[in-house]
Amino acid sequence: MRGQQPRTAKERYKWLVALRESGQHKPANTPLISGGDADRFERFEQARPFKTDLLMRAAQNRAVCEPEVASEGHPRWPVLEKQPIRGHLKVHVAKRPALPR
């Protein structure tokens, strides 16, 4: 069938493998942060045993289950806007050298 790849060939599977291997090899008392753009529950589930923080990119206003409300299906952006800011991080990005023309 068109578009049918085996699970192990999909990018989301590669993210899961990287997360599992990173968790298994991290030194004790070292925090692990895993980034990605998968909106799948299995990623959150796999991070739990390693006490891994997840940094997830979200481009769509998909439905989420909001803990304060009994029903599911609330759009993501309003739910996130109500969350407290946990911190700030200033990142310096060096200017790239000028490319020859």
Side-chain angles (χ1 to χ4, degrees), residues 26-94:
K26 78 176 183 88
N29 300 320
T30 301
L32 180 62
I33 301 172
S34 177
D37 40 281
D39 284 348
R40 301 220 171 258
F41 178 75
E42 60 190 331
R43 187 158 168 76
F44 294 93
E45 186 178 44
Q46 188 148 46
R48 184 174 290 150
F50 302 114
K51 296 182 172 70
T52 300
D53 290 323
L54 293 173
L55 176 63
M56 305 300 286
R57 183 177 76 156
Q60 304 296 323
N61 195 18
R62 294 198 170 109
V64 297
C65 177
E66 186 176 4
E68 298 82 24
V69 180
S71 63
E72 294 185 17
H74 299 281
R76 175 184 291 154
W77 304 143
V79 173
L80 291 176
E81 287 170 355
K82 290 192 280 183
Q83 303 306 309
I85 295 173
R86 299 287 178 126
H88 293 271
L89 176 65
K90 188 172 184 176
V91 178
H92 174 74
V93 179

